[in-house]
Amino acid sequence: KPFAFSCLWNALRMKAGPSRTNRPDNTAFTQQRLPAWQPILSAGIVIPGFTLIGLAFIGVGVALFVTSQKITDLEIDYTGVAATSPCFKCTSFAAENCMCQMEFTLTTLFEGPVFFYYGLTSYYQNFRTYGVSKDGYQLSGDTYYFNNPQDSCAPYQYDSNNNPIVPCGSIANSMFSDTFQLYQVVNGMKKQIPLDGKGIAWWTDYNIKYSNPALVNGSFADAFSGTVKPVNWSKPVYELDPTDQANNGFLNQNFLVWMRQAALPKFQKLYGRIAEGDYAQGLPAGNYTLLINYSYPVISFGGTKKVVLSNVSWMGGKNQFLGIAYLVIGSLCIVMAMVMLIIYAKYKFTDDDEDM
Amino acid sequence: MSWITPIPTARCHGADEPTRTVVSNLPYEDQRPRNQPNRRYAGNAVKTNKYTLWSFLPINLCEQFRRLANIYFVGIAALNFIPEVNAFQPQVALIPICVILTLTAIKDAWEDFRRYQSDRELNGTPCLVYSRSQHGFVERRWKDIQVGDFVQVLANDIIPADILLLHASDPNGVCHMETANLDGETNLKQRRVVSSFCAVKSPFDPLSFNATVICEKPNNNLNHFKGFLEKDQIKIGFGIESLLLRGCTVRNTAAASGIVVYAGHDTKSMLNNNRPRCKRSRVERKMNKEVLCCVFLLFCMCLIGAVGHVIWLKTFSSVPIYFIPDSDGNETPSVVAGVYRFLTMIILLQVIIPISLYLSIELVKMGQVFFITQDIDLYDKEKDTRMQCRALNITEDLGQIQYVFSDKTGTLTENKMVFRRCTIMGTEYPHTENAVRLAILAGDADVEEHVLYQQNTRPPLFSLEEAHDLEVGGHVRSSALPMDRHRHRDSTAGIPSLAFSSPLEREVIPDQNLLRSVKEVERRGVAGHWGLQGATHLEFFLALAICNTVVVSTETAQRQRVRGPHNSSRSRGLLPECMEGLFAQFPCLRQLSSCLKSVSCRRHSLSEDPVQSTLYDIPTSSSSVVSEDEVQGTPCKGHTRRRQTWTASSLAGPKEVHYEAQSPDEAALVHAAKAYGFTLLERTPSHVSVRLPSGTTLTYEVLDVLTFDSVRSRMSIIVRHPHTKEIILYTKGADSGIMERLQNSFEDRSQMKSESRVIANKTQKHLDMYANDGLRTLCFTRKVVSEKNYYDWLVLRQGAMAAIDRKDELVRKTAADMETNLTLLGATGIEDRLQENVPETIQALREAGIQVCVLTGDKLETAVNIAYSCKLLDQQDLVFTFNTENTEVCKNMLSGTLAQLPLYDTQEAKVSVGLVIDGRTLGLLLDSDLQEGFVQLCTHCRAILCCRTTPLQKSRVVTLLRSKLGVMTLAIGDGANDVNMIQAADVGVGISGQEGMQAVMASDFAISRFKHLKKLLLVHGHWCYNRLANMIIYFFYKNVAYVNLLFWYQFFCGFSGTAMIDYWFMIFFNLFFTSAPPIMFGIMDREVSAAVLLQLPELYRRGQHEGGYRRSTFWIAIADAFYQSLVCFFVPYWTYKGSDIDIFTLGTPMNTASLFTIIFHLAIEIKSWTVVHWVIMVGSVVVYFVVTLAFCAMCVSCNPPSDPYWTMQEQMSDPMFYLVCILTTVVALLPRYTLHALRGTLVPSDHLRARQIDNMPPHHRDLWLQEWKKLKDLCASYPSLSSSTAQRYSTAQSPSLTPVQDPSPSLAQSPSLTLVQDPSPSLAQSPSLTLVQDPSPALAQSPSLTLVQDPSPSLAQSPSLTLVQDPSPSLAQSPSLTAVQDPSPSLAQSLNPKLAPNQGLNSAAL
């Protein structure tokens, strides 16, 4: 027999009954007579399809477009390339602990909840070797990897004294270090707006993927003994947020947000939410001051830094594309339906002619 | 042991020596192996398994790495281990190659294990080997046998090795052997003890054997073997007739012994045991080029990546913070980085080269083969065989066939030879009664088949097995065996397969006139002393009975079928055995045997007949004698008239004889002789006995048999007459091989000779008539050889037989020397009926645009006649006949014909042209200088008929057309003479017929009837081709579409080789999510149903012109893939651009949208949706979501660097995800969908029309198809209704169209030139008719010229009619010329010369 399947087939058949005839089974399957639906695409048949899709798309498109229109966002570039920029002073290498201040004015209420993002451009977090450079086991709190970081972290695996770096790797090392404070200027007085930095990371990152090591001798810092901070960091990981142990160490929300690599070189990351107190309804019209602790260098690779204030809807941040795309494609489908109708009518006509 | 002659060991080895030397092992039995003289020859243990337990891994891996694809895989995986280059985790990248290697290894291991098991079984089979110590044959196992051992084989045992027969229990030294295991031939073959070696001395004593056997090296020729025994300087030659072949079964012989000459892998059967052929199909060859395109594409993409990376690096003035320096802190130079990225990109984009495509194609072909073999329409009920696919990987070639080369005998015809007529001494005996009987039988066969079918479900009333059982068991079993019905039917059907003994062939009703004259002659003379006048009649029948190689077996020696290890396991006919058994027990019934046999196949329909009930009663009332009339009364209605004859013949002898012939012709002739009372009773190598009508038995001593070969095309037997002691040579053969060897009658002027000349002429006339009736002709001659001449000749003959070099040639020459000066006795005409539905099949193939060539060994006239009756040549065809031996003439004919052809071709439609070529002319045309012209001519011909071809010529024609035209060829045949052709063609089809299995063994596909070819090509070929072509295109598309997603992403990650889709998902994507649909698509999709495909053969043409798989189709698919991947990438990209989305969350909608696009793309392509389609398509999507969700939930940090953890869940909780996926899918598929819709309306292809027909309700569809067919026929016959289909025919008929303006004069010189414009079949029968359209004067000079424009059948009957359409004056002067333009029947009869060059012909014809 030509192949194994048929052998098996025959074996089974022989088992089934003693009548050993070579006659193939006369079943719909083996004779390829299974009942079949045989659609034939033609102009006449696709008209309803095109119409339906077109109408549905236009509907969705309108909804998306309207929703997107409602979303407001405000971008404040503070890279400081231009000499006129308040942050220009911080771009020089000499500047240490440089603070700069950006002013902006809202003419209407910025509806809440307002999300506070920082954005970077030309920043390739998706660069392959960069993305690889972390140690997932270390970040999950496995102390073995504290002392023996994985090779993927190289060259941010050990420092020059051969001490293991925690958290190791390039991603952690390059963590965004600017900090922001937002003030509303009320009667010449600066009133700080609370930026809620909690719950900005993925729930699964915070609760499952990342975890801190167990305390050693009741001390969180001791758990990291024998390790050193990343080269670029000013303070060790266990001091990221000394005020709140739940936001400290690997579970620091800003750290978690940073560790989730952006997909594209132009990206923004959530810094905090304005959802408390007086500003729960949004930012009222008025003057605002953004105080920036400028420390993260981007000019060297031609990047920019910005702060984005945005409110979100069910479809996320402001994005006109999808709504417009739906509208365009929906209209295209309607047009196609009409074209098909014309073709169909013409074809039908000639077909009838032929039948005569 | 002083008597041992030490054999120089140097003779044993030496691979360069052309011979093998074997001596007895017995003297060395106790010695150590290294002293054994035959130690260098292979033992009998066979090992077909490739691996052992330990060597499996290394050897298998080695074998697998021979495949380029695997090396590619490993290379990619290895590349991944270079840290600078790797795209993925090195370990992860090993997964695909490991999976593929493991799967292949498991498959190989299993196959090998099965081989090992069968080997072990075979090697352990017991056999008898002579042992010196025990002084007798002892039981050993097959694997213990060594070359040089003496082995004894008992009756019905399987022969363990190739054994030179030295002794047989039969007193004549004959052993019968059945070679069914080897070549499927069921007839017995005679083997005899090496001549004059053992004077029949019994028992055989191997110890006294002290000769040396010298024979040829092991080879795989089953029909050839030569060597000699050397003993005391005397050489005794032997050939294949003394060799028992491994794997065959000994029959009719109690025991046979001999010395083993070849063992194990050296045996002929093992050397013939080829693995299934591995052919590359055309689609696959083409596909390989497309794969190269993909390689090029990959190269380009990688280059873009590398250059892009370098440029990107250059944009940075200083090192960005996210760059990773080397371990030593340095940055890699950008050019080096570019090279690294190039390699990384290869790893990343490797899938674009569809390695898994090869695996998928294998799977698809497995599925296709499964469905082909399962087709019940290709199942042959009679033989219980289904279609076999022996080559597994060329199924789609069946859909692209452009030329079919077919054998005639046994392929187009039944190869059931029936004696029809004979001519003796110039007197023709038409055997009209016999013809009537055959007509009745043929008619009955159809009825019977129908009834059989109807009664299938009814419980059996009677079955012969039952009767047999009852009789053997000696008591009545009342319960009917429930399963009998099936076997029963099969056993009925089994009769024809058993050595040509269907009643159709067995029984001949003698011609009354002939019978009378035979009786008279016999009455006049005593046996052996007939007068000269009547003697020829008797001699003729003696020649019929003697001059053959038919083996007689009697019921007592009835063989018992044993199923051996290599058995091809066909169900055998049980009927003859049980019948014989039954008759043996009830002698009174024997006389009924022939009658019963003839009705036995009809017994189902007659189950309520008295015979049946009577027979049923037999066992219970065994003493009662059933009256003849009672039994024969009803069942043999219509045959009662003939009862007398049958009874006479069967009563005459003491026992029923049973003939085993190697060819059906021989059986037919022996049966014919028997019908006239000349019964062949016994045949041994030394003598042959014939019973004469008078009852006396003549036993001739057989001096020699000059066996048949296709070069001489005749065979002879030399016998000594028992009474006169004359040495007589009987020769039979084709007239071409005989007529030239008659007594020099044309030179001698004496009265006597001139009489024989008259006879020869008359006979030739009769032969031509037979041939025109489509009968196969054989001439019989006799010659008395003087003692001296014989012995002189014998010396030469023996010398030739003992020769090793050029033996065949020498033997043939000596045979030819003897076969001279023959005296013609007469000739026979044997009918070989067309198989059922052959004309329809050929018609359908022609409509499908396939050029059909028939290559046959028959006479030109026979072949032409068959060609017309099987519609190979059509009435409207313009037929050119090439029949010349002269190279120059041939050349001129060729150039003349070629010059003519463009005239037809330049017309709007093509005239269909037929070509008839004689074998000798074919030989000339195949010469290198005429090849080109011949090939060119063939391209213009719709049908080609080659007659009198040799097997080699057949294959040369195939090879020539195949190589010169680059067309896809199929060769179909049933016999050993077709093997060359079958192997030369792209697709070889074997018909498992009457002539054994050799053709099947060599073929790629084996069918049992020619008509099956129609469904095989038009339906399965068409399906397989379209399915595979679509599948391959889709596969390319799929890979490009998916991989390009990753490529587009490179533009946004600095060409660094990052994948935004987790590597596991990429593996899963190819392995689980999108692998099953294309495979299902390749196995099950059905564009047009079988019924419509069979009705509209025109649909086949698309495959011939590669309509399903074009380069353009490929590039369109690739372009579509690029478009779709762009959509799948950029819609999500623009949606999420600038947002806080992370890398794998962006990859998720891309991956999902891509999956939907790929699946729905296939959904658009799928032509018919069955349950399986739905399950697999929906299943794939479901599996995607289930697996992705599960993987995303389970893998927290198991897969660094990528961590898709919870991304899918996150996305699926976001409404945007769905909106993005829907939009992407719709946009991606919109162009293709629209295109399909537009194409379906604006430019519907034939296939689309066919699908519309398919979608009609069944009765509507049938009606439509009928109408359509009618219309087509109408168009064909009425040119006025010219539609596109009809045009071709109309032009062929219109007289104004067909001026053969200038046939070159040289053309005319060819004596038997035939140019037919519009021949009707009856016209073709008129022997020397020649037709020309517009003859030139020179043409007119040709002596026997005949010209016809549009002859009516009646016209054709007038023997010397000549018709011209537009005669030139000079033509009119030609004396014997008659020209008619507008023939009416009356006109034809009057034979009035009438020149009417008007054009009213068409109206007349209509």
Side-chain angles (χ1 to χ4, degrees), chain A residues 37 43 126 128 209 263 319 326, chain B residues 86 1049 1058 1135 1203 1219 1241:
Chain A
W37 173 57
N126 58 11
R128 191 177 55 80
K209 215 154 135 181
N319 189 340
Y326 262 98
Chain B
N86 69 347
Y1049 189 63
T1058 313
T1135 308
D1203 48 351
L1219 291 176
T1241 307

Side-chain angles (χ1 to χ4, degrees), chain B residues 258-534:
Chain B
I259 185 167
V260 174
V261 288
Y262 305 129
H265 290 282
D266 289 342
T267 56
K268 288 183 181 291
S269 71
M270 289 303 286
L271 290 170
N272 261 291
N273 193 359
N274 299 328
R275 305 196 169 217
R277 285 200 292 165
C278 198
K279 280 187 178 177
R280 262 280 142 84
S281 73
R282 180 189 268 198
V283 170
E284 267 180 82
R285 272 177 281 155
K286 209 172 163 203
M287 190 190 78
N288 286 337
K289 288 185 195 139
E290 258 73 280
V291 170
L292 285 182
C293 289
C294 284
V295 172
F296 176 72
L297 213 60
L298 176 69
F299 182 81
C300 289
M301 286 159 77
C302 293
L303 201 66
I304 291 173
V307 172
H309 188 68
V310 173
I311 293 172
W312 181 75
L313 285 178
K314 298 266 188 205
T315 59
F316 298 106
S317 47
S318 63
V319 181
I321 191 168
Y322 47 82
F323 264 33
I324 314 278
D326 274 354
S327 42
D328 16 319
N330 300 325
E331 288 298 322
T332 335
S334 56
V335 176
V336 178
V339 174
Y340 285 159
R341 285 304 80 79
F342 184 85
L343 296 175
T344 308
M345 297 286 264
I346 290 182
I347 301 172
L348 187 74
L349 307 177
Q350 56 172 309
V351 186
I352 203 171
I353 295 173
I355 296 303
S356 49
L357 176 59
Y358 291 97
L359 196 70
S360 305
I361 287 177
E362 256 173 54
L363 288 173
V364 163
K365 286 185 177 171
M366 263 169 67
Q368 290 182 343
V369 164
F370 170 77
F371 277 121
I372 295 177
T373 50
Q374 282 294 317
D375 191 335
I376 204 156
D377 290 341
L378 303 183
Y379 167 77
D380 186 56
K381 208 165 61 225
E382 273 183 30
K383 295 177 194 147
D384 191 34
T385 49
R386 55 169 82 171
M387 157 89 207
Q388 280 179 57
C389 294
R390 295 172 50 81
L392 303 183
N393 46 4
I394 54 166
T395 46
E396 74 280 6
D397 275 356
L398 290 173
Q400 293 186 282
I401 302 298
Q402 288 159 292
Y403 276 79
V404 166
F405 297 90
S406 170
D407 174 41
K408 188 179 77 66
T409 311
T411 305
L412 299 180
T413 60
E414 295 267 13
N415 206 6
K416 284 183 184 166
M417 301 298 173
V418 181
F419 178 84
R420 283 293 299 273
R421 318 177 82 152
C422 67
T423 165
I424 304 172
M425 295 307 282
T427 316
E428 214 273 320
Y429 298 97
H431 289 76
T432 34
E433 295 96 331
N434 196 34
V436 170
R437 180 189 72 99
L438 289 171
I440 291 170
L441 263 179
D444 279 4
D446 296 340
V447 174
E448 165 239 332
E449 198 167 284
H450 182 65
V451 175
L452 248 167
Y453 235 88
Q454 297 270 306
Q455 292 207 338
N456 247 348
T457 47
R458 281 166 54 177
L461 282 170
F462 171 78
S463 84
L464 270 175
E465 280 97 326
E466 230 172 288
H468 189 50
D469 281 349
L470 297 171
E471 180 269 314
V472 168
H475 64 275
V476 183
R477 251 190 252 163
S478 52
S479 64
L481 302 169
M483 52 161 278
D484 261 2
R485 171 59 62 181
H486 254 286
R487 281 179 50 208
H488 182 63
R489 210 154 42 78
D490 295 336
S491 65
T492 322
I495 300 174
S497 74
L498 194 84
F500 325 116
S501 51
S502 78
L504 194 72
E505 294 156 293
R506 263 201 314 259
E507 284 138 25
V508 177
I509 304 160
D511 189 275
Q512 291 307 316
N513 290 333
L514 183 55
L515 195 63
R516 213 175 298 125
S517 45
V518 168
K519 287 258 160 69
E520 192 154 320
V521 171
E522 229 202 351
R523 217 181 307 122
R524 271 194 285 138
V526 192
H529 300 282
W530 304 306
L532 195 71
Q533 254 331 85

Side-chain angles (χ1 to χ4, degrees), chain B residues 1322-1352:
Chain B
S1322 50
L1323 187 67
Q1325 272 158 26
S1326 89
S1328 62
L1329 188 69
T1330 314
L1331 300 120
V1332 178
Q1333 190 59 50
D1334 187 7
S1336 73
L1339 201 59
Q1341 261 118 56
S1342 159
S1344 65
L1345 182 73
T1346 317
L1347 299 128
V1348 180
Q1349 162 60 19
D1350 188 32
S1352 71

Side-chain angles (χ1 to χ4, degrees), chain B residues 1075-1115:
Chain B
S1075 63
I1079 290 174
M1080 169 230 31
F1081 182 58
I1083 296 175
M1084 295 198 59
D1085 193 41
R1086 195 185 66 195
E1087 189 169 9
V1088 183
S1089 72
V1092 174
L1093 280 177
L1094 286 175
Q1095 295 283 332
L1096 306 175
E1098 289 85 351
L1099 295 175
Y1100 186 79
R1101 288 169 193 247
R1102 189 172 74 175
Q1104 287 175 326
H1105 305 111
E1106 316 202 334
Y1109 187 74
R1110 290 207 179 109
R1111 185 59 52 79
S1112 59
T1113 327
F1114 170 77
W1115 285 115

